[in-house]
Amino acid sequence: MLRAASDLAMYGMFAFVAYLLFVLVRWPLERSARARREAAEAAAQQRAKHLKSRTNRSPAPTQAVTATTHLPAVARSGLNHASNACLRSENRACVNCWA
């Protein structure tokens, strides 16, 4: 009977040590995951705040476009404006066709 109790205590200690190892490995992983999650939430809140502040501002004034300032060299040479040379670049429209 005493041997059975000592065997039970030994196996119980093995289980407890295995659990402690599991905890010691899992604890830093949980802390780093929680820190990453909190940082991601803070960044998402910051982005939402930034986007909200950007949508509440008045639109920026537009610049006057001169006849050949923003046209590609091919378009300035007189090629058809339906060609690829007339495609908008950097949100600027072709002044000849205002596409």
Side-chain angles (χ1 to χ4, degrees):
M1 175 100 164
L2 188 58
R3 180 166 166 99
S6 86
D7 284 347
L8 184 61
M10 182 180 65
Y11 290 129
M13 192 172 298
F14 286 156
F16 183 70
V17 168
Y19 175 73
L20 270 177
L21 287 174
F22 174 74
V23 167
L24 289 175
V25 168
R26 185 176 176 207
W27 192 11
L29 296 174
E30 286 288 327
R31 284 191 338 188
S32 64
R34 187 179 323 129
R36 276 194 312 269
R37 194 170 32 251
E38 289 172 357
E41 288 174 3
Q45 288 176 353
Q46 194 73 353
R47 277 193 305 270
K49 182 180 175 184
H50 179 69
L51 287 176
K52 185 176 180 181
S53 69
R54 289 190 70 190
T55 57
N56 291 338
R57 289 189 293 172
S58 61
T62 57
Q63 297 176 351
V65 180
T66 60
T68 58
T69 304
H70 303 297
L71 289 178
V74 177
R76 277 183 264 150
S77 67
L79 290 178
N80 182 5
H81 286 281
S83 67
N84 289 338
C86 187
L87 292 177
R88 278 180 257 164
S89 171
E90 300 174 15
N91 296 329
R92 296 177 183 148
C94 171
V95 294
N96 292 330
C97 63
W98 294 97

